[in-house]
Amino acid sequence: MIATGGYFAVLALFGGGLAGWTPGYMLIFVAIIAATVALAWRDGFRVLDETPPLAKIALICIAVLPLLQLIPLPPGWWQALPGQALRQQVLALAGLGNSWQPLSTEPVGTAISGILTVGFVTLVALLMRLTDKDFRSVLFLAFGLVVFGILVGMVQVVTDGQFPNPHGISMGPTLQGFYANKNHMALILATTILLAGFVVIPRVFDLQRRLWVNLGYIAFVLVCIVSTNSRAGLALGGIAALIVLHDQTRRISWRYKIGGLVVLALLSGLILSTAAFELVSGRFEDVDSDLRWRIATWSWPLAERYWVSGSGAGSFATLFAANEQLAWVKPTFVNHAHNEYLQLVIEFGVAGIAVLAVFLASLIAPLMLWWQLPRSARERATMTLGFAMILLFALHSVVDYPLRRPAGWAFFALGLVAVYRGYRMSAVGGGSAGSTDQPMDRQVETA
């Protein structure tokens, strides 16, 4: 648990900046290599056998696909792939037109992506190996790290984003925490509403107080999200709040429901009257002219060109710059398509689409099992948390790239493992050696 928690903390604290050979990412790469070697030496990733059907295939493909894009191909092979004409011309100028080349048009970016995808699968496996008690400890750790990030963000708001500034990217008086992207911070804030509602608050407070504490924390987080100036984050925070309140109010008497709604209405009124909310609400009126929509439109020709074989993980920025029209040039640097699904097609082609389909298919059996579980079952609460976190990331991926940073996919891994562990406990009976304390843990909770 200490090793897994430390690994997660490194990803969450140092993985929110721009991907590259920065000191923070070097530390992450060392942690990934150490964790992967240690886990492979210990049990060879056998714990992935306890994931739902197709999940193991999807996870292996996620780790291996970027590495396969680095394998050198004969000249006749890579030259026959779609979108390689410009690359061939450039290499021909250097006398390398007929050399062996990998499928990836940006090998360095693909290598970085390959290390990160291996790290993601390693984190999933490590979390699957934990006992139920230790897994909850990691969930508490994740919650605590975000709360610490909120405190850091408050200082950033007061200092106009000048301090602390761990990634060298200042967005003014916005609450960024340990993230270079304020939208990513807003998403993680939304996930803590779920962590608080399904894990932290039920373990700390009795049934009669949970609703009030949930309402207070939801209001606090929504204020923090407003401070990030993120429209998507505000919408995701609202969705997370509805999920938690829908679950928590099933066993609450009507007088508490009415009281909670009154308190929520008063707090909402206070939030709506703030100058910070006027700033973020004004951005909703400017959605049509948002640059991210134009980036997605400008990136569509790349998808049409590379949808068969893909251009290589981490190659989007290079390809976009090479194909960018002069009229599109802005002072800002376009590093991603701001649509995870579109960029998946560009960089991985048919293979990426197939892996995504297998991954989604692996969630069908857990979803059907979750639907059949009684609402009082502990496994249902765990799986509800997981599905809700996956939903937030899936929705945010339509307008951003939360899974491109370790500080983002570390929290996604928590949600994914919550689903897988709930499925294992319900369908398989928790047969892992990592769950040996489960019966005793249940007995203590019941008492």
Side-chain angles (χ1 to χ4, degrees):
M1 192 277 289
I2 295 176
T4 304
Y7 179 44
F8 178 88
V10 170
L11 297 172
L13 295 177
F14 300 98
L18 299 178
W21 302 114
T22 60
Y25 270 84
M26 290 181 184
L27 176 61
I28 288 174
F29 293 155
V30 171
I32 289 175
I33 294 172
T36 303
V37 171
L39 184 63
W41 179 268
R42 183 66 179 267
D43 59 16
F45 289 82
R46 286 192 298 271
V47 72
L48 295 182
D49 293 333
E50 299 177 5
T51 57
L54 299 179
K56 182 178 180 180
I57 297 175
L59 290 169
I60 292 175
C61 290
I62 288 172
V64 171
L65 193 55
L67 303 179
L68 294 178
Q69 293 178 325
L70 293 173
I71 298 176
L73 302 176
W77 290 20
W78 69 264
Q79 292 173 4
L81 297 174
Q84 300 294 327
L86 179 60
R87 181 187 185 190
Q88 183 178 0
Q89 295 174 10
V90 173
L91 290 174
L93 294 176
L96 301 173
N98 292 320
S99 61
W100 286 51
Q101 295 292 332
L103 182 149
S104 174
T105 59
E106 182 58 51
V108 174
T110 304
I112 293 175
S113 299
I115 296 173
L116 296 178
T117 54
V118 170
F120 168 75
V121 176
T122 298
L123 179 60
V124 171
L126 287 172
L127 292 171
M128 287 292 296
R129 289 189 78 253
L130 295 178
T131 65
D132 294 342
K133 180 179 179 181
D134 288 345
F135 179 65
R136 282 195 302 273
S137 297
V138 175
L139 293 178
F140 269 83
L141 171 65
F143 180 82
L145 289 174
V146 179
V147 172
F148 180 46
I150 292 175
L151 298 177
V152 172
M154 290 179 177
V155 179
Q156 293 169 335
V157 172
V158 173
T159 61
D160 196 29
Q162 299 303 313
F163 178 83
N165 188 4
H167 303 292
I169 300 176
S170 177
M171 295 186 179
T174 59
L175 195 151
Q176 294 177 239
F178 300 107
Y179 293 80
N181 189 314
K182 60 185 181 182
N183 297 295
H184 295 175
M185 179 60 177
L187 168 63
I188 299 305
L189 287 173
T191 63
T192 63
I193 294 178
L194 301 172
L195 286 172
F198 290 102
V199 179
V200 178
I201 293 176
R203 297 285 295 181
V204 178
F205 297 92
D206 58 54
L207 185 62
Q208 298 299 324
R209 298 179 181 178
R210 290 177 190 173
L211 177 60
W212 295 101
V213 178
N214 270 313
L215 287 172
Y217 185 75
I218 288 171
F220 171 70
V221 171
L222 291 179
V223 171
C224 293
I225 293 178
V226 169
S227 300
T228 66
N229 192 25
S230 172
R231 295 164 297 186
L234 198 57
L236 295 173
I239 293 173
L242 290 176
I243 292 173
V244 170
L245 292 178
H246 174 72
D247 179 80
Q248 295 295 319
T249 56
R250 290 184 180 275
R251 299 177 297 273
I252 303 298
S253 64
W254 277 104
R255 60 176 181 174
Y256 287 104
K257 291 182 182 180
I258 296 173
L261 290 174
V262 171
V263 173
L264 184 61
L266 292 175
L267 292 174
S268 299
L270 292 175
I271 295 173
L272 295 176
S273 63
T274 61
F277 183 80
E278 292 179 2
L279 178 62
V280 69
S281 63
R283 296 188 68 218
F284 278 99
E285 301 174 0
D286 194 38
V287 170
D288 292 338
S289 60
D290 195 298
L291 183 60
R292 71 184 63 210
W293 302 116
R294 283 181 282 172
I295 292 175
T297 302
W298 298 337
S299 303
W300 187 253
L302 296 177
E304 294 177 336
R305 183 183 308 171
Y306 292 102
W307 72 270
V308 176
S309 59
S311 60
S315 64
F316 174 82
T318 300
L319 290 178
F320 188 88
N323 292 271
E324 187 177 15
Q325 297 182 15
L326 185 60
W328 301 349
V329 177
K330 303 290 181 183
T332 53
F333 170 69
V334 179
N335 60 340
H336 291 285
H338 289 79
N339 184 312
E340 200 72 82
Y341 307 101
L342 176 61
Q343 191 164 337
L344 178 74
V345 174
I346 295 172
E347 295 184 344
F348 292 99
V350 173
I353 299 173
V355 172
L356 177 61
V358 173
F359 171 73
L360 294 176
S362 73
L363 297 175
I364 294 177
L367 183 61
M368 295 178 62
L369 179 62
W370 170 83
W371 185 262
Q372 298 171 358
L373 286 173
R375 298 193 181 279
S376 59
R378 177 180 154 211
E379 292 83 357
R380 183 181 175 88
T382 302
M383 297 180 74
T384 302
L385 167 68
F387 279 122
M389 292 181 70
I390 293 173
L391 175 64
L392 294 187
F393 275 91
L395 293 176
H396 196 213
S397 294
V398 177
V399 294
D400 219 311
Y401 49 95
L403 296 177
R404 298 276 169 172
R405 299 291 179 263
W409 55 250
F411 283 85
F412 179 78
L414 291 179
L416 187 63
V417 172
V419 171
Y420 288 169
R421 291 177 66 92
Y423 175 84
R424 180 180 67 185
M425 286 189 291
S426 298
V428 185
S432 169
S435 300
T436 54
D437 71 335
Q438 184 176 325
M440 182 180 296
D441 195 44
R442 285 184 176 176
Q443 183 178 1
V444 171
E445 288 190 350
T446 304

